[in-house]
């Protein structure tokens, strides 16, 4: 089972990388505007996506200059990075609405799903689709399990972080 999961997970990472190639670049450029100017980058994750927050803030290689999104007063020089399981996540959508109202640009990472309400993917300045609509492994009854949303989000986080680091290194030269 682990071999099949590894194969499926590798395929998921490859699909994200191929389909979101330009979104990675656009998102990184948008986020890099904050440290280059007078702003800061803030991160917000819902539910299991708090794993991405923790990696960014307390991991072995923390993202320099990133802050956890709190009730702090944001300026239009700040940028926000939001992670949620789906584009219809109520908490993430509420944050997105508030950011839009304040004119704060943000990047969102989630799986796009059809929803009757507000959609994070439509609100975000840049959205990266996790493309994880069901579990990766089939069971004996036709169901699927193994839904690695936080692993996919961490893959996207690192893609953005590496690109931002490259942009900032070029800027400093």
């Amino acid at each position: 089972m682990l071999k099949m999961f590894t194969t499926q997970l590798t395929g998921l990472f490859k699909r994200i990388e191929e389909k979101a190639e330009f979104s990675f670049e656009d998102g990184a450029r948008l986020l890099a505007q904050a440290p280059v100017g007078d702003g800061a980058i803030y991160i917000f994750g819902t539910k299991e996506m708090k794993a991405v927050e923790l990696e960014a803030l307390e991991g072995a290689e923390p993202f320099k200059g990133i802050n956890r999104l709190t009730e702090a007063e944001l300026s239009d020089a700040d940028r926000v990075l939001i992670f949620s399981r789906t584009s219809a996540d109520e908490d993430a959508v509420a944050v997105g609405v508030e950011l839009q109202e304040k004119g704060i640009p943000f990047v969102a990472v989630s799986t796009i799903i059809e929803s009757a309400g507000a959609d994070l993917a439509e609100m975000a300045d840049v959205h990266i689709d996790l493309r994880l609509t069901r579990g990766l492994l089939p069971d004996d009854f036709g169901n699927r399990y193994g839904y690695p949303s936080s692993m996919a989000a961490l893959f996207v986080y690192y893609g953005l972080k590496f690109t931002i680091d490259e942009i900032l290194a070029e800027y400093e030269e």
Side-chain angles (χ1 to χ4, degrees), residues 34-63:
V36 167
D38 294 328
I41 300 173
Y42 292 86
I43 189 167
F44 176 77
T46 65
K47 302 176 181 65
E48 74 273 23
M49 298 304 187
K50 293 222 179 281
V52 182
E53 266 188 34
L54 288 172
E55 185 67 28
L57 297 165
E58 300 177 29
E61 297 175 338
F63 192 131

Side-chain angles (χ1 to χ4, degrees), residues 53 64 67 77 79 92 96 107 121 128 146 148:
E53 266 188 34
K64 292 178 188 161
N67 306 290
R79 302 293 181 262
V107 175
I128 297 175

